[in-house]
Amino acid sequence: MVDVRPLDAIVYNQAKVDIKDVIAPPYDVITNDEQSMLYERSKYNIVRLILSSAKDRYEDAKESFENWQKEDVLVKTEKPSIFYIIQKYTTENGRHVERKGFIAKNHVEEFSSKKILPHEFTMGGPKEDRLKLTRACEANFSQIFMVYSDPSMLVENEIAPKYTSKAPFIDVTDDKGVQNLVYIIDDADDIAKIQSLLSDKTLLIADGHHRYETALNYSKESKNPEAQYVMSYFTNSEDDNLIIFPTHRIITKFIEPYVLLESVKKYYDLSDYTFTSANKNEVKEKFLTDLEKSNAERISMGLYMKNVNKFYLLKLKDGVLDSIDAPDVLKKLDLTVLHELIISNELGYSKEEQMSQDGIKYIKQEFEAFDMIDKGTAEASFIMAYPKMQDIKDISAAGYRMPQKSTYFYPKLLSGVAINPLK
């Protein structure tokens, strides 16, 4: 049974601060420049808690957290609550998206319980950092991103409309242009329905693996009952507004284009898209459209190399999968094939180099994967197609994990909407 409960939340007092000035992205996507900008935006911006720039960053976060509560900048909600969120944005191709979900807390479970499943591998450094912050502040400042399946759309169709017809608790547009509407669900009957809905579900961690494993470690060392729970965001995989973006593989170690092409041709059939400076954007759009169509039928990806005025569409040859030593459920994943056949076998990258991104980068933004080639800061970009939610579910259910940085659930969740105290 999955144990989900409302939050006895700490929130920003909007009578004292402008919510626009105090929210921030998750800590792991904030650049140094963005950190400085957020610091300057407000002395109460949550970046000072999640990513302090002080010498003793954990003690500084603790002091700020305590002081802001004393100043009533941060206050407790009147009742245990679930925070329903609608995130509105427009994609690059003009599609209007409204992703829906809610923030609550769930009991921390070992992965062996099969109640909560990971889908990616994690690295040690970020987990140690987050554990030190949790110990110091005894609170969750950011959410784990969980996915569940409910074809009936109970929360979206039955419960949420009671609240979305009223003024939101928060209405803020972030620096990426995403409008975040937050509504407080505090009716006991509605909360009970949500708890019952999720009680027999399997939860998939879409994002926040480091934070979840941190919560797991902290739950074992803390005697506080609240520490056995972690703040999470839950969204329904049956909603077509849940969009997963790919993470592209960028080769930064020197390699001759013709050498790379010869390696690729061993495993993939190639189609090339020649462009000029005048028609480059038009050709790129067709190339990306064809990539998605091709990947729907068989494993396909794109390739763009420095000093080559062509995009290449790579389609996996028949029979190639037989040469990969991996479980069948992982073989249907384009990244598994790319890492095993090209990055490891042909280019000779060790597992350690791949994990530490030594000579290879994992880029979430599609435009950046192209720009790095155009600017000469990378040798080759492998352009990945959009991941399929069903593949992620199948891999996790079978007890396996995808390569690190496989998926990008967009948009990111804001830090600062709610804080979950752990004492």
Side-chain angles (χ1 to χ4, degrees), residues 212-280:
Y212 186 81
E213 292 184 24
T214 296
L216 192 57
N217 291 331
Y218 186 70
S219 71
K220 295 173 183 176
E221 66 179 51
S222 173
K223 293 183 171 61
N224 286 318
E226 292 301 316
Q228 307 309 307
Y229 292 80
V230 64
M231 182 168 63
S232 297
Y233 166 86
F234 304 84
T235 191
N236 190 352
S237 64
E238 307 302 323
D239 187 344
D240 62 8
N241 286 277
L242 176 60
I243 298 177
I244 313 167
F245 289 87
T247 303
H248 311 288
R249 271 37 183 174
I250 316 301
I251 305 300
T252 56
K253 189 190 300 182
F254 176 76
I255 184 170
E256 290 284 2
Y258 70 88
V259 173
L260 180 55
L261 276 181
E262 288 305 310
S263 294
V264 167
K265 286 178 182 177
K266 296 178 186 178
Y267 312 102
Y268 297 89
D269 292 321
L270 273 59
S271 302
D272 61 73
Y273 295 68
T274 304
F275 61 82
T276 64
S277 57
N279 69 356
K280 183 176 180 179

Side-chain angles (χ1 to χ4, degrees), residues 27 185 200 207 273 300 382:
Y27 81 99
I185 298 175
D200 64 347
D207 197 9
Y273 295 68
S300 303
F382 286 97

Side-chain angles (χ1 to χ4, degrees), residues 256-351:
E256 290 284 2
Y258 70 88
V259 173
L260 180 55
L261 276 181
E262 288 305 310
S263 294
V264 167
K265 286 178 182 177
K266 296 178 186 178
Y267 312 102
Y268 297 89
D269 292 321
L270 273 59
S271 302
D272 61 73
Y273 295 68
T274 304
F275 61 82
T276 64
S277 57
N279 69 356
K280 183 176 180 179
N281 288 336
E282 181 183 343
V283 174
K284 183 168 76 171
E285 287 304 313
K286 176 170 174 49
F287 160 68
L288 292 171
T289 299
D290 289 353
L291 168 58
E292 294 301 330
K293 290 178 181 176
S294 179
N295 194 57
E297 299 172 0
R298 61 169 161 160
I299 290 176
S300 303
M301 65 193 69
L303 173 62
Y304 182 36
M305 297 180 291
K306 188 168 71 174
N307 299 325
V308 179
N309 287 354
K310 293 181 180 181
F311 304 119
Y312 291 91
L313 177 57
L314 318 181
K315 301 179 183 180
L316 194 67
K317 293 180 178 180
D318 292 337
V320 168
L321 289 180
D322 296 338
S323 65
I324 298 177
D325 183 18
D328 287 345
V329 72
L330 284 174
K331 286 185 184 180
K332 64 181 181 179
L333 195 66
D334 53 4
L335 280 175
T336 299
V337 177
L338 174 62
H339 275 265
E340 289 294 324
L341 298 181
I342 305 300
I343 294 173
S344 294
N345 289 357
E346 295 295 326
L347 301 184
Y349 282 86
S350 67
K351 296 297 183 185

